[in-house]
Amino acid sequence: MTDQNDILFERARAVIPGGVNSPVRAFKAVGGTPRFIQRAQGAYFWDANDKRYIDYIGSWGPMILGHGHPAVVEAVQKAVLEGFSYGAPTEREIELAEAILALVPSMDMVRLVSSGTEAAMSALRLARGATGRKTIVKFEGCYHGHADALLVKAGSGLATFGNPTSAGVPPEVVQHTLVLEYNNLQQLDEAFALHGKDIACLMIEAIAGNMNFVRATPAFAKRCRELCTQHGALLIFDEVMTGFRVGLHGAQGVLGVTPDLTVLGKVIGGGMPLAAFGGPRAIMEQLAPLGPVYQAGTLSGNPVATACGLATLKEISKPGFYEALAKKTRTLVDGLKAAAAAEGQPFNADSEGGMFGFFLMNELPQNYATVMTTDNAQFNALFHGLLDRGVYIAPALYEAGFVSAAHSEDDIAATIAAAREIFSKR
Ligand SMILES: *Cc1c(COP(=O)(O)O)cnc(C)c1O
């Protein structure tokens, strides 16, 4: 039999760099042929061979209701009939803004954009514009989209300015970006002691989902808040992944720390291109057309995307939604831990709301360097073992996992059984 994924991958590589429109989809880290998805429903999607997978990436977070939720489909179908895009304001943008603000009390105002990258880049510009400062602080392993100033890795010394992680980013463009180790209190204090008066903002994933799943410790998150307040810098929570995913009030709700600016994406679009950033009125009014910080977008607040986002937010706001989702996710995580323990495999895992991470080691990592000590070959064997058994997890060990409301107890049990079988063959 001919593998349709192979055929499509070959065709794709002829016309799209690497055959994909976002690098991690290419399976480069794990090897093998990416699965080309034909359709999805509920907790599943089907590849080009019509093989079914239990989907634990959910489009990297947005599909929190599962695929094709009837209420969301209906809202999108209705919106499509009314027009795709106008380039003029709509009532639905106000409704979505109001819905977001009602759920994220740290924000008085919000601006809608089309991708998380755009939202983080704009929040950064706003922070620099509002403070009149240049320096930004970020953490190794946190991803904030691919804006030039954020594609940085740590320099050689403690609290030194970073080096670009991509060709095409001149060192001058990242010379104001400080890259620190996640959860390293001493380095954080040192950076603010040295550069505090120049720091425009500190941007952080307070529960990081781009170095697998790593929580900021409560003390670390609190210290970020204190230092920003002391030094007049803005604290930016990048909640593109965690917003409406770890809980109805995001990582800020989980940690009880209030940022100045919040960056949102993924879930707020329910699978459509939609993202946002927001914060206190006085800061947000620095944006054009009111203020001097320029930001714009032809498709921003798109009427179909906002319909999808609104319908999604309505469903996740229903009482008990996150309790049920968190319980299900914990069942998965606990089951995987038990399966690994029964087979004598080093393993640990953690979850919050509908987001989880697991590690082929006994400790839960506190930072990127520790995550990256994971045995690549072992991870890849587990990934492909699961894939063969119809379970699709992220094709890289530094990515988080996502459970949706559509996953059933049977799906979770089948996933745990598949993992145990793989562990037993080690
Ligand atoms: C996904 C993600 C982004 C980038 O969003 P895109 O929509 O892919 O541009 C930014 N920050 C975080 C924390 C993310 O997880």
Side-chain angles (χ1 to χ4, degrees), residues 115-118 120 143-146 205 210 238-241 266:
S115 75
T117 291
E118 200 187 344
Y143 177 66
H144 307 295
H146 61 88
E205 288 182 78
N210 288 286
D238 180 349
E239 299 230 36
V240 171
M241 188 176 280
K266 298 193 169 105

Side-chain angles (χ1 to χ4, degrees), residues 64-136:
I64 194 163
L65 301 174
H67 297 280
H69 187 283
V72 180
V73 170
E74 195 192 322
V76 169
Q77 281 175 335
K78 188 166 171 289
V80 161
L81 295 176
E82 293 165 357
F84 293 1
S85 185
Y86 317 120
T90 63
E91 184 175 359
R92 208 173 289 133
E93 293 166 86
I94 313 172
E95 285 173 2
L96 182 59
E98 288 169 348
I100 292 171
L101 298 181
L103 295 171
V104 189
S106 64
M107 291 160 61
D108 298 333
M109 297 187 108
V110 62
R111 165 100 7 125
L112 303 179
V113 296
S114 301
S115 75
T117 291
E118 200 187 344
M121 177 188 82
S122 305
L124 187 63
R125 183 179 307 140
L126 177 59
R128 282 172 159 168
T131 58
R133 298 174 177 182
K134 288 180 190 169
T135 303
I136 57 187

